[in-house]
Amino acid sequence: MIPLIYEMSKAGRRGVRLPDCTVPQTKAKIPAALRRATPAALPEVSELGVVRHFTNLSRLNFSVDTNFYPLGSCTMKYNPKVCETVARFDGFARLHPLLPQLRNGGMLTQGALRVLYETERMLAEVTGMAEMTMQPMAGANGELTGAMIVAAYHRRKGNRKKRFLIPDSAHGTNPATAAIAGFSVTTIPSNAKGVMDLAAFKQALGDDVAGVMLTSPNTLGLFERDVQTVCELVHKVDGLAYYDGANMNAFVGRVRPGDLGFDVVHLNLHKTFATPHGGGGPGAGAVGVKEPLRQFLPISRVIKRDDGTYALHYDEPHSIGYIAPFYGNFGVILRAYTYLRLLGAEGLREASATAVLNANYIKACLKDVFDFPYEGHCMHECVCSASRQEAHGVRALDIAKALLDRGFHAPTIYFPLIVHEALMIEPTETEAKETMDEFIAALREIARLAEEQPATLHAAPVTTPVGRLDEVEAARAMVLRV
Ligand SMILES: *Cc1c(COP(=O)(O)O)cnc(C)c1O
């Protein structure tokens, strides 16, 4: 076990020794009442001690750089390191957002504005939208932007609309977003095939419907076959169709939500477009809209002038206003830009094909030991149920923990909510067949243990730095300080 850095502290030990100060000290200017009476209780450690401490801590981390990370709905893929290199270029990383755009040093920001502009154009092409904004800081923030745009559209037309229709397989952020934007939510059930029930949708549709929010492939990893009909029907009541494209991994370069009839989309640049994520950020939830909704996009807008220069534009009377400070998470946008330029149209098509192939390979190799509740091919992820193992007292949680002992990150579990004992596996396009074969072998071994020695799985994980936690206790009685 690695000690806390405070436990390593020895009185008088130092990391660096600074020479005596040769300029007058300003301590006297700090009012006496604000000055410490006793020195801060900082750990006293050597430089080597600090380096070893943090290096050893970092080795406890699980990451895409170290192991397979099939966390469904998160697209935890290997992202090219060249994207990291570009994001760290001095000319980008050291820019200040308040530098002038054109005259008096504007040359410094023209490149960054061009990156914003061109990323918007490329993603508009990928999604089939007229215009994009790079402002939102996360997928959920993008959803909120989209829902606010839908609200602005109806307000401007004088429409009295108050409901959003959202399928029960949706990510939790969908209904939460609609509610925050002031709408009520009608949940549409999925049918036996795992897609939204069209009859139930038709029944729920009415003049008070502001829009529908759909995810396709949905969180079961299935293609929503009726999307075009759904978009047409919602348009008939002057509602708008919103596409949750957080995981575009199956569609990129193949299907454009704009062509299917959607009016608003959001993408998670930190899932599909090359920013490693996890642990809460950073993210970017790019939002795209069709032509009639352009006027409602958040400010600032990046424009290209006739003379070829770029500028930020604020004079948009119908804009929903600011959705994030400055111009979004620029580093994340820069990684997406690099990734798009690196792969090009052909590369993106190949990536989505491989992502779908990999998920179907895993499904095909596990079909005889795990229950897959929905027939047919999946898209970029597959969802199975541990119901067969549950009969022996082994649950999805036990299987997830047993995978940790075998060097794999667990799949997403207990989501989507409509699958009993769900395990949601997303291999992504970047994994080699050998890696997937090892993962499949581990899951098959766990399935065998579930039948023969179920008790051994209840103890897992036994090889990780921290064993099985009482998760309720961990959430209720948090210990946050020494
Ligand atoms: C991840 C995800 C979101 C939310 O994105 P955040 O960046 O975590 O806010 C929304 N919808 C779907 C389908 C997702 O997978």
Side-chain angles (χ1 to χ4, degrees):
M1 205 62 193
I2 298 176
L4 296 178
I5 197 161
Y6 288 91
E7 292 166 346
M8 293 162 54
S9 182
K10 281 268 181 305
R13 191 166 278 170
R14 289 283 174 273
V16 284
R17 284 181 198 282
L18 299 174
D20 287 340
C21 192
T22 55
V23 292
Q25 297 195 17
T26 55
K27 192 161 77 183
K29 289 191 185 149
I30 300 173
L34 297 179
R35 269 185 252 151
R36 274 187 175 281
T38 51
L42 297 175
E44 296 179 74
V45 281
S46 69
E47 185 173 9
L48 181 59
V50 173
V51 169
R52 287 200 180 140
H53 179 71
F54 285 105
T55 305
N56 288 327
L57 274 184
S58 75
R59 286 195 187 163
L60 302 183
N61 279 346
F62 194 103
S63 69
V64 175
D65 281 355
T66 53
N67 295 82
F68 186 40
Y69 208 135
L71 192 67
S73 199
C74 284
T75 313
M76 303 297 286
K77 62 185 177 184
Y78 173 77
N79 292 306
K81 292 284 179 255
V82 64
C83 301
E84 298 301 309
T85 309
V86 172
R88 283 170 177 73
F89 280 170
D90 267 4
F92 290 126
R94 298 175 77 108
L95 278 184
H96 191 283
L98 291 178
L99 276 172
Q101 295 163 40
L102 267 177
R103 272 185 295 278
N104 303 331
M107 288 309 287
L108 294 175
T109 57
Q110 281 296 301
L113 292 175
R114 181 173 163 189
V115 165
L116 287 170
Y117 183 86
E118 291 187 358
T119 312
E120 287 186 6
R121 290 323 313 151
M122 286 191 281
L123 291 176
E125 175 66 29
V126 165
T127 54
M129 292 286 142
E131 197 85 30
M132 304 284 303
T133 173
M134 296 292 127
Q135 311 279 326
M137 301 290 218
N141 198 202
E143 287 174 37
L144 182 63
T145 307
M148 286 168 71
I149 289 172
V150 172
Y153 167 84
H154 290 307
R155 214 171 24 245
R156 188 151 163 70
K157 287 189 84 176
N159 288 346
R160 292 185 172 275
K161 305 276 201 179
K162 50 182 198 295
R163 270 194 306 140
F164 249 98
L165 307 186
I166 302 177
D168 60 0
S169 61
H171 196 273
T173 47
N174 289 189
T177 298
I180 289 177
F183 299 101
S184 64
V185 174
T186 304
T187 305
I188 312 296
S190 303
N191 63 21
K193 290 192 172 126
V195 294
M196 189 171 78
D197 187 318
L198 189 61
F201 171 81
K202 284 182 182 161
Q203 204 171 11
L205 196 62
D207 283 337
D208 64 336
V209 167
V212 58
M213 265 181 139
L214 265 189
T215 309
S216 184
N218 64 23
T219 61
L220 296 163
L222 303 174
F223 184 65
E224 287 282 353
R225 286 176 188 282
D226 294 319
V227 276
Q228 276 175 300
T229 316
V230 167
C231 290
E232 279 163 26
L233 289 171
V234 81
H235 288 153
K236 280 205 179 122
V237 298
D238 199 14
L240 296 174
Y242 184 100
Y243 175 78
D244 177 337
N247 307 104
M248 261 288 268
N249 242 33
F251 272 19
V252 179
R254 291 175 181 273
V255 185
R256 307 196 317 163
D259 298 339
L260 295 174
F262 287 99
D263 307 288
V264 191
V265 311
H266 91 265
L267 305 172
N268 278 20
L269 302 189
H270 51 294
K271 286 179 182 169
T272 311
F273 297 96
T275 289
H277 67 111
V287 169
V289 294
K290 287 267 179 72
E291 186 60 44
L293 302 175
R294 179 197 289 259
Q295 56 185 322
F296 304 117
L297 283 169
I299 47 173
S300 54
R301 305 285 310 127
V302 189
I303 53 165
K304 187 175 182 180
R305 294 205 175 101
D306 291 341
D307 64 0
T309 59
Y310 300 87
L312 292 167
H313 187 69
Y314 297 87
D315 185 16
E316 297 282 352
H318 302 299
S319 164
I320 60 166
Y322 283 100
I323 196 81
F326 297 113
Y327 323 112
N329 249 331
F330 184 67
V332 179
I333 299 162
L334 199 49
R335 287 177 180 88
Y337 175 84
T338 310
Y339 181 77
L340 287 161
R341 296 298 298 260
L342 187 69
L343 266 69
E346 260 322 295
L348 291 174
R349 281 175 60 79
E350 192 183 323
S352 50
T354 312
V356 172
L357 180 65
N358 285 358
N360 279 289
Y361 179 67
I362 289 187
K363 181 176 182 180
C365 294
L366 290 175
K367 232 169 30 187
D368 58 325
V369 283
F370 289 95
D371 275 337
F372 283 82
Y374 302 104
E375 291 279 306
H377 292 313
C378 61
M379 293 279 123
H380 62 297
E381 57 195 0
C382 59
V383 179
C384 68
S385 162
S387 50
R388 230 184 281 178
Q389 289 68 32
E390 194 192 20
H392 303 283
V394 171
R395 304 190 55 198
L397 181 72
D398 301 313
I399 296 170
K401 300 289 186 195
L403 278 169
L404 304 184
D405 276 336
R406 286 156 182 81
F408 300 101
H409 196 282
T412 297
I413 53 172
Y414 299 107
F415 181 78
L417 303 175
I418 53 178
V419 173
H420 182 66
E421 293 292 324
L423 289 151
M424 181 194 217
I425 304 166
E426 182 182 7
T428 81
E429 73 278 14
T430 57
E431 294 300 334
K433 180 171 174 293
E434 292 84 346
T435 310
M436 290 190 291
D437 284 339
E438 286 165 19
F439 176 72
I440 290 160
L443 270 176
R444 295 187 70 91
E445 187 217 349
I446 293 166
R448 184 177 57 73
L449 284 175
E451 283 179 24
E452 295 170 4
Q453 295 166 281
T456 57
L457 298 175
H458 296 144
V462 293
T463 59
T464 51
V466 178
R468 183 141 353 170
L469 296 172
D470 180 335
E471 286 172 10
V472 175
E473 183 76 3
R476 294 273 162 82
M478 279 188 258
V479 182
L480 297 177
R481 42 168 63 213
V482 279

